[in-house]
Amino acid sequence: MDSVRQPFRDPTADDDIRTIAELQLFSEILVTIILGREIVVPQSYAFDSYGFHRVARTFLNARDVADADADHPFRPHLFGPGVRSFDDAVTNILTRARDARFLSSAFPELGEHPAEAGDRLDAGWLLSRPWLDDDRRAAFNIVRREFAELGPVAARPRPDSPTLPGLLRAFVARPAEGDVHDRLLRSIKALGPELNERSSLRLPGPWRDGKTAAEVAGGDDRLDEVIEFVDTLYNAVVAGSIGIATTTMSTELETDDQRLTARRIAQSLAVTEYQLGEGTAPTAPATTMFEVRAEGPVHAELRRLYESAGQGLPALFAERGADRRKSPFWKGVTAINTATDAKAAQKALEKHLTHVAGLLGKTTKLGLHNRIIEFGLGLSVAGGSAWVGSAFSMPVTAQIAMTIGGETLPAGLGFLATRLTGQKGTRRLAAALMQVVEPDRR
């Protein structure tokens, strides 16, 4: 949900990239909701991730249709001096927007139309801006209303959690191990301490001495690696400030295998650097992947997939919002979470997903044949962890399957892959690699 990866784009422009990113985000959130979990949303992303605003609107509208008012799939993580509500967080962020180097992803006009002296900077001020289109206004307001009624997640941050500047200093002080590591060191040293404000990597104009950030870093590919590394470090710091949430780290979408591999290495180096910074033993990253495959023109197909996939959500929310002692949905979640071994977990997962598939397909006229979502999950069971996997049908208009899998991970989601099935000669449109990071609960 990182805001810099889900920016607002001109709606008149080609938005295949935005559609794919939203499909990825929608799929990950859907899986989490199916497993009966909540999604923790840091306040900066709740404010500034245009993709989150759009996807959250889909889920929250479905929840409202189902009259499941007690079900809250998203919960804010609030932090900072004087921040006691999401509206307080919005005011703090808007105050930062007075800084000339502030780059808003959801509301880029903040830099073009700064607040006037005497303006009271709050959510009401933002929603009343004449430059704000109706779509963004409505999506943001839905998120704002949802979080206005909720208390924040009960975070447990470590008092000695590392910071982005400290992690960057520690990284450049160590010798390189491998080509990507060496390139990152050179680029980060060349870019200098300005990296502490990561949004500046995406600002137009010269970085230093008339040169762009890409020119200083050594080229567009090198800058992409730096962005991947710094973004992952930043998100690790944010996750550490929450302290209780399992976090899925994903690379930027990429179409070139070599560049994708470099991005993954940069991401893994960042995760390892954060673990070193908090004093925990680095863990080996899982081999995980997110992929989108499609044949021919994909814009309309992906949009129909995303839009139609939400048609069955009200039935799902109706059961999520029902009495947990009686709801078949919650009985299924309980069976998965209390499984005593891998075989029992597999059986409980398959039964739960079969039930959820029926809910998602109940209210749509679309056919279910040859259209599935597959789940591979690392679940905690008695005596340790177990790898289980299953599949169920879901109504979509394109023959696309979403697959989640990966190595055995404790109580975590593996990875997500969306691909066209049953077709030869398909071409990969874009891919991203992911890994799951468990919080250090000491």
Side-chain angles (χ1 to χ4, degrees), residues 54-201:
R54 289 171 57 87
V55 174
R57 175 172 57 182
T58 297
F59 284 100
L60 294 175
N61 282 343
R63 188 271 314 273
D64 292 343
V65 169
D67 291 326
D69 296 340
D71 189 6
H72 300 287
F74 309 106
R75 190 166 294 277
H77 169 48
L78 304 178
F79 55 91
V83 175
R84 297 180 178 84
S85 68
F86 181 62
D87 272 5
D88 288 341
V90 171
T91 295
N92 276 10
I93 295 170
L94 288 173
T95 301
R96 282 183 53 214
R98 295 182 186 273
D99 183 346
R101 292 186 68 82
F102 178 85
L103 178 64
S104 172
S105 297
F107 311 107
E109 296 92 341
L110 287 173
E112 304 165 10
H113 306 281
E116 297 180 3
D119 281 353
R120 176 175 177 151
L121 298 180
D122 55 20
W125 177 88
L126 176 64
L127 291 168
S128 67
R129 294 304 89 196
W131 45 258
L132 185 61
D133 56 272
D134 291 341
D135 179 73
R136 279 186 294 167
R137 180 180 289 109
F140 174 72
N141 208 27
I142 286 173
V143 171
R144 180 201 176 201
R145 288 201 305 266
E146 177 71 6
F147 287 168
E149 300 174 4
L150 293 177
V153 67
R156 293 200 299 270
R158 288 179 50 156
D160 57 343
S161 293
T163 64
L164 179 60
L167 290 168
L168 287 171
R169 287 194 300 269
F171 180 75
V172 298
R174 276 190 281 275
E177 298 179 7
D179 292 342
V180 176
H181 195 166
D182 181 66
R183 293 199 301 265
L184 274 172
L185 281 176
R186 294 173 183 272
S187 297
I188 289 172
K189 288 178 180 178
L191 288 165
E194 293 94 332
L195 281 178
N196 294 336
E197 293 293 334
R198 65 177 185 135
S199 62
S200 57
L201 286 170

Side-chain angles (χ1 to χ4, degrees), residues 297-320:
V298 297
H299 174 88
E301 288 185 356
L302 288 175
R303 180 163 295 284
R304 284 196 298 269
L305 168 63
Y306 174 39
E307 292 175 350
S308 66
Q311 294 181 13
L313 287 176
L316 176 62
F317 275 108
E319 285 206 5
R320 273 183 52 106

Side-chain angles (χ1 to χ4, degrees), residues 424-441:
K424 293 183 178 181
T426 60
R427 66 180 180 87
R428 186 172 70 197
L429 177 66
L433 299 172
M434 309 179 72
Q435 59 183 308
V436 175
V437 181
E438 286 285 324
D440 176 26
R441 304 178 190 276

